[in-house]
Amino acid sequence: MMRKLTIAAALALAAAPAAAQLAVSANDNKQINTAGVGSVVQNPAPDSVSVIDLSVFPPRLVGEVAAPASVVGPPSSVAVAPDESFALVSSATKRDPADPAKLVPDNRVSVIGLKSLKVVQTLEAGAGAAGVAINRAGTLALVANRSEGTVSVFTVAGMTLALAGKVALGKPDSGPSAVLFTPDGKRALVTRDGDSTISILAVDGAKVTATNRNFHAGVRPYGADITPDGRYVVVGNVGRGQGDNDTASLIDMSMNPPRTVDTITVGPTAEGVKVSPNGKYASVVVHNGSAFPPSSPFYNAFGKVVLLGISGGRLVKLSEERIGRWSQGSAFSPDSSTLLVQNMVEKDIMVFKIEFDQLRDTWHRIKLSGGGAALGTAR
């Protein structure tokens, strides 16, 4: 049952400061993984978007709204406006109207007012709309379109978006996945898991163009996030899904041109990446074989979240903890002391504390109305 916004929750949202006090979870009810077998749900409940208050501990759910979402693509299909007035949620897939047992690419992006908890606008990006980003000025948004090899560009005025163009990146199957802006808003980075490439875009006002800087980090770069000062980008390389240990890479954006300077092993299928507000940490959500059938030699009954340290141009493994199955996104609290991790199968969010650079499971769980597919906070 969808949780409506209470009067108390509405007042809390209206009074919330603009320092990333909210986390937004996109929840997919169309797809499930049962004993390692993925399937499309017949007559599913609507997909949903949950709003979580990070200003208290433990973090609490304050409301949900029905909106299209998708677990397909990296768990960065949520972008929260810098002032937390709205969120963008993309939907990479939808049920095929001609055959509800199948999924087809979707292109919808929902604009959700975070104070009213209502969908205030629905946009069309490109096929397989996945990773979403909003610049720090709150004037431009980008959407990576996995199924057509493009990035859609939208201007932002208040809570109204308008299509401003589209940038082609490689072939249609290049798989643009995650997209992010540099803090100054003059560049953007796009991961392309279809051809294992990372692309740099140039941004001049509402004009976005592909540069000639296309480079590599690991096999199938997927999730990505940037440090608050813009110096480093951490990229998760999702690999081939064949049970091998996969990696996370560090990109130095201060170099001319930007380049990969370090890579570290994190485990099988590095799904989601998030950098902490203090720039010290990166969390990597790792499937760890949890989406395989139990009969597979690569199966594990749990995923894991790996906490990496970012220092001196290197990634250092600090800590790891068990999480649920087919897990997706993560998000830090504003003071970087709390970490949320989504579990797709369990339909909940785990809450960890970070103490002396170590993760500690608080055993607090936030229940969701669908499988958590992406998680975002304001930058």
Side-chain angles (χ1 to χ4, degrees):
M1 180 177 178
M2 200 71 63
R3 298 169 178 83
K4 294 183 179 179
L5 188 66
T6 65
I7 293 176
L11 291 173
L13 284 174
Q21 298 293 314
L22 302 177
V24 178
S25 173
N27 313 310
D28 187 342
N29 276 309
K30 302 181 296 299
Q31 300 178 76
I32 57 174
N33 183 298
T34 305
V37 178
S39 60
V40 179
V41 177
Q42 300 303 300
N43 302 312
D47 298 333
S48 64
V49 173
S50 306
V51 178
I52 298 162
D53 183 2
L54 294 174
S55 68
V56 297
F57 189 86
R60 63 187 182 93
L61 179 68
V62 295
E64 293 182 326
V65 60
S70 178
V71 72
V72 173
S76 54
S77 57
V78 173
V80 180
D83 63 359
E84 296 187 323
S85 60
F86 70 91
L88 302 180
V89 178
S90 64
S91 176
T93 59
K94 62 182 179 182
R95 296 171 75 210
D96 187 346
D99 184 355
K102 297 180 180 179
L103 296 175
V104 294
D106 197 1
N107 65 356
R108 289 174 293 175
V109 179
S110 301
V111 183
I112 298 171
L114 294 182
K115 292 180 174 61
S116 64
L117 269 189
K118 294 181 179 179
V119 177
V120 298
Q121 187 181 10
T122 300
L123 308 161
E124 292 187 355
V132 186
I134 302 171
N135 67 356
R136 288 194 179 181
T139 58
L140 203 66
L142 301 176
V143 181
N145 304 312
R146 282 176 52 78
S147 299
E148 64 174 43
T150 66
V151 173
S152 294
V153 182
F154 294 91
T155 57
V156 182
M159 289 195 293
T160 301
L161 276 70
L163 183 64
K166 192 178 282 188
V167 182
L169 292 175
K171 297 179 180 179
D173 62 356
S174 63
S177 298
V179 60
L180 55 86
F181 284 97
T182 55
D184 63 8
K186 296 181 179 180
R187 294 183 294 176
L189 179 144
V190 184
T191 61
R192 295 160 42 173
D193 80 313
D195 57 10
S196 292
T197 299
I198 298 171
S199 295
I200 301 293
L201 307 181
V203 182
D204 182 7
K207 182 181 179 182
V208 181
T209 55
T211 70
N212 61 3
R213 182 53 177 161
N214 298 304
F215 61 105
H216 307 277
V219 178
R220 295 183 63 207
Y222 200 55
D225 201 8
I226 191 167
T227 55
D229 62 3
R231 172 71 185 270
Y232 297 113
V233 170
V234 181
V235 174
N237 303 301
V238 77
R240 299 295 181 190
Q242 298 174 335
D244 304 296
N245 279 336
D246 296 308
T247 60
S249 296
L250 191 67
I251 312 299
D252 192 333
M253 297 295 290
S254 71
M255 292 185 169
N256 187 18
R259 68 201 65 174
T260 304
V261 293
D262 195 27
T263 296
I264 189 171
T265 299
V266 292
T269 313
E271 177 73 15
V273 174
K274 188 68 69 173
V275 170
S276 61
N278 64 11
K280 289 177 54 180
Y281 305 121
S283 62
V284 183
V285 176
V286 180
H287 283 180
N288 195 41
S290 64
F292 279 99
S295 59
S296 169
F298 305 119
Y299 173 74
N300 269 307
F302 55 88
K304 62 180 181 178
V305 58
V306 178
L307 185 70
L308 301 177
I310 307 169
S311 179
R314 294 290 182 264
L315 295 172
V316 179
K317 182 179 176 181
L318 300 174
S319 177
E320 69 175 55
E321 282 288 341
R322 292 187 179 189
I323 54 176
R325 294 163 291 168
W326 200 21
S327 303
Q328 299 294 318
S330 62
F332 288 90
S333 62
D335 65 359
S336 303
S337 70
T338 302
L339 179 68
L340 309 184
V341 178
Q342 293 173 313
N343 296 318
M344 182 72 186
V345 172
E346 290 79 4
K347 296 184 179 181
D348 66 12
I349 290 177
M350 301 176 70
V351 180
F352 295 90
K353 291 298 289 184
I354 301 172
E355 299 166 340
F356 303 104
D357 295 340
Q358 299 295 299
L359 291 166
R360 177 177 63 83
D361 190 351
T362 67
W363 297 101
H364 180 72
R365 305 291 186 262
I366 301 170
K367 296 302 294 183
L368 301 171
S369 61
L375 194 59
T377 58
R379 299 306 304 263

